[in-house]
Amino acid sequence: MALYRSMLIYCPDCKEETLMVTDAIYDGFKKTGERTRCAQCGHEFTSDPKTKSKPNLSAKSKGDPLAALFGDAHEEESPELFDVEAETGRLCRRCTHYVLHPFTQRCGLHDREVSATDTCDQFEKKV
C-alpha cells in the first residue's frame, strides 16, 4: 500500500480537521483502485469528501513543493561548511606518485600500499 497523495479535510468520524490520505489498492501487481481515508482515525470515505482548505500555490511555487511550504526562503544557497580544496588537496589520489592497479593502490615514492584518501609530507600535485 503506497501513500501518494494527501490534503486537509474535516473528518466526520473523529470530528477534527485532519489529513485525507489516498492509497492505491493492488491485486498482486495490478492496481485495481484507490481508497480515501482519514490519516488520524482511519475512517474510510465512500465518496470524495469536501476539502476544508486547499493549499494556496502561487504560479512560481506550482512546480516546486518546497516553495509552497517555505516560500522563497529555501532558495538561499546552503553555507559552505569547510573548504573542499583544502580538505582534499593533499590526498594520495591527487599525487604524481600514486599508482592505481586493479588489485591494489601503491605509492611509487615510498613503495608501499596506500589508500586513495591517505596523505603524506612528500605530496606532489598531478599535472
Side-chain angles (χ1 to χ4, degrees):
M1 189 162 38
L3 172 77
Y4 66 92
R5 187 175 56 193
S6 63
M7 60 179 57
L8 204 56
I9 60 154
Y10 176 78
C11 177
D13 206 27
C14 60
K15 311 242 187 301
E16 290 186 28
E17 190 176 59
T18 182
L19 287 175
M20 174 186 73
V21 181
T22 303
D23 296 321
I25 301 171
Y26 291 96
D27 181 23
F29 289 109
K30 184 178 179 185
K31 183 177 174 182
T32 58
E34 295 179 341
R35 73 175 182 174
T36 306
R37 59 185 177 84
C38 173
Q40 194 166 1
C41 67
H43 171 74
E44 194 166 327
F45 296 99
T46 54
S47 64
D48 196 26
K50 302 286 185 215
T51 58
K52 189 148 189 166
S53 63
K54 292 185 179 180
N56 186 11
L57 299 176
S58 65
K60 183 178 180 183
S61 65
K62 282 184 181 177
D64 188 6
L66 290 178
L69 292 175
F70 302 112
D72 294 332
H74 82 283
E75 292 180 6
E76 297 175 8
E77 286 187 25
S78 60
E80 291 293 327
L81 301 178
F82 53 88
D83 185 14
V84 175
E85 185 61 35
E87 293 283 328
T88 63
R90 298 180 53 86
L91 296 178
C92 283
R93 75 169 182 250
R94 296 182 179 207
C95 182
T96 58
H97 304 291
Y98 179 68
V99 179
L100 183 61
H101 188 269
F103 301 109
T104 186
Q105 302 167 36
R106 298 195 64 81
C107 177
L109 183 65
H110 297 111
D111 196 29
R112 65 183 167 120
E113 203 170 305
V114 294
S115 174
T117 56
D118 288 347
T119 58
C120 76
D121 293 333
Q122 287 93 18
F123 173 82
E124 292 179 27
K125 189 172 182 171
K126 284 184 185 177
V127 180

